[in-house]
Amino acid sequence: MSPPIPSRATVPPAAATPVALSYELFPPRNATAAASLWATIRELEGTNPDYVSVTYGASGSNRDTAVELLHRLLTETSLRPLAHLTCVGNTAHDLAGVIAELLDHGVRGILALRGDLPQDPATARPPGSLTYARDLVELIRRVEQRRSAMLCAGKVAIGVAAYPAKHPESPSIEHDVEVLLAKQRAGADFAITQVFFHADQYKGLVARARRAGVSIPIIPGVIPLTSRRRLDRLAALTGVAPDPALLDALGRAGDAVESRRIGVRATVGLARDALDAGAPGIHLYTFNEHAAALAVLEALQLPRPPAVVRRSVRPQLVRA
Ligand code: FAD
């Protein structure tokens, strides 16, 4: 007897397809920042994200705090970490060591980046360093291959950066897409975008990327747009100009509560437009604060899979 042919009715409707949710955190710089970060981590853990990413100083300056935070996320929470890693200021040899250390700790996702260039370009590229993020993707795949038995044929998920507005050092947006394609060919599995302020920038990137042959998911990176000061700093760092109307509204806000209300509404609008255009998820840049991220999330009402109760290991109390 031939097996029954599944009826069309068994295929879930596209509208119910869940989307990915992730957050970016950065390693704390001191004990006070660590306490506040851990309060944020516990709040975000309750939303059952797919992963949380942990940034890495371009020169590797915060390597120890980044590795410690990744280790604690793995051992004390139910969260899956995605470790950022950068080429700048590190030799390939050093980076291979960090990748191996991350895998040994149980990290299974790495965001491979070139890194922000330091003020002094001489320190950016020590002899034996990698020039582009694509080189780091290849290096991760080589280290992974050497440890394939340990990974039991599993795979390290490699993410890369993508740019809805032109990368400041790039000659054109077309070049940016060629770079993204090269990172995919080197072994990248997905991309997370730099901040953007107009959904059309995200839609344009996806359209250009698909035309060029990029098939990996491109996840929009969205920042809660609640502080004018932060947006100005971000613009200087990324070269992405914020919406003048939003800056104006934030500048006129009477207090922090009103700023947050204005910013959350703008962020929800941006994320909603990207999702309506087919974005496969949302990556929220939290700046280690949960209030605005949770407000955005609540308003977005993302279609998410039912929460899976995962192990959340909290440090054991040592009894005398
Ligand atoms: P690449 O893809 O290597 O590109 C860098 C520049 O080189 C671009 O201008 C590109 O056009 C050019 N280029 C690339 N390949 C070639 C080639 N073959 N020939 C000619 N030109 C080429 N920075 C940090 O320091 N730490 C972090 O934790 C961090 N996290 C980030 C997370 C996300 C989601 C994003 C979007 C960015 C992050 N950054 C971080 C910033 C990032 O490091 C910078 O944007 C950096 O300037 C570029 O990194 P990249 O990985 O895109 O580099």
Side-chain angles (χ1 to χ4, degrees), residues 83 85-87 92 95-96 99 103 110-114 130-145 155-161 179-191 216:
L85 198 54
T86 61
C87 306
L95 285 168
I99 297 162
L103 297 187
I110 299 178
L111 190 66
L113 302 148
R114 197 251 342 240
L130 304 176
T131 311
Y132 298 122
R134 182 197 59 193
D135 306 325
L136 181 54
V137 175
E138 286 169 359
L139 179 66
I140 296 166
R141 288 289 176 229
R142 285 203 296 278
V143 176
E144 174 189 55
Q145 206 170 23
K155 208 168 160 263
V156 178
I158 304 182
V160 289
V179 169
L180 183 57
L181 184 62
K183 293 193 265 197
Q184 172 181 295
R185 287 188 175 140
D189 297 301
F190 66 101
I216 55 176

Side-chain angles (χ1 to χ4, degrees), residues 52-229:
V52 290
S53 80
V54 173
T55 65
Y56 193 79
S59 57
S61 50
N62 66 354
R63 169 187 165 149
D64 291 347
T65 36
V67 172
E68 188 197 336
L69 176 57
L70 289 160
H71 181 66
R72 286 194 64 190
L73 286 169
L74 279 163
T75 54
E76 296 177 26
T77 77
S78 60
L79 297 164
R80 295 188 193 96
L82 173 76
H84 296 209
L85 198 54
T86 61
C87 306
V88 168
N90 297 288
T91 65
H93 182 264
D94 291 341
L95 285 168
V98 180
I99 297 162
E101 187 181 353
L102 292 174
L103 297 187
D104 289 347
H105 277 296
V107 170
R108 293 293 179 266
I110 299 178
L111 190 66
L113 302 148
R114 197 251 342 240
D116 290 320
L117 291 177
Q119 303 284 24
D120 176 6
T123 59
R125 295 201 180 121
S129 64
L130 304 176
T131 311
Y132 298 122
R134 182 197 59 193
D135 306 325
L136 181 54
V137 175
E138 286 169 359
L139 179 66
I140 296 166
R141 288 289 176 229
R142 285 203 296 278
V143 176
E144 174 189 55
Q145 206 170 23
R146 288 205 289 271
R147 286 173 136 67
S148 56
M150 190 190 98
L151 294 166
C152 297
K155 208 168 160 263
V156 178
I158 304 182
V160 289
Y163 298 88
K166 189 178 79 62
H167 183 270
E169 295 161 47
S170 165
S172 66
I173 50 176
E174 289 75 24
H175 174 84
D176 282 341
V177 161
E178 288 305 316
V179 169
L180 183 57
L181 184 62
K183 293 193 265 197
Q184 172 181 295
R185 287 188 175 140
D189 297 301
F190 66 101
I192 303 177
T193 76
Q194 183 57 283
V195 293
F196 59 95
F197 298 102
H198 301 280
D200 282 349
Q201 293 169 317
Y202 171 75
K203 292 182 214 173
L205 163 68
V206 174
R208 285 190 299 281
R210 298 297 177 239
R211 275 199 302 275
V214 175
S215 55
I216 55 176
I218 301 174
I219 299 163
V222 175
I223 172 181
L225 309 161
T226 52
S227 148
R228 187 178 169 140
R229 204 162 51 92

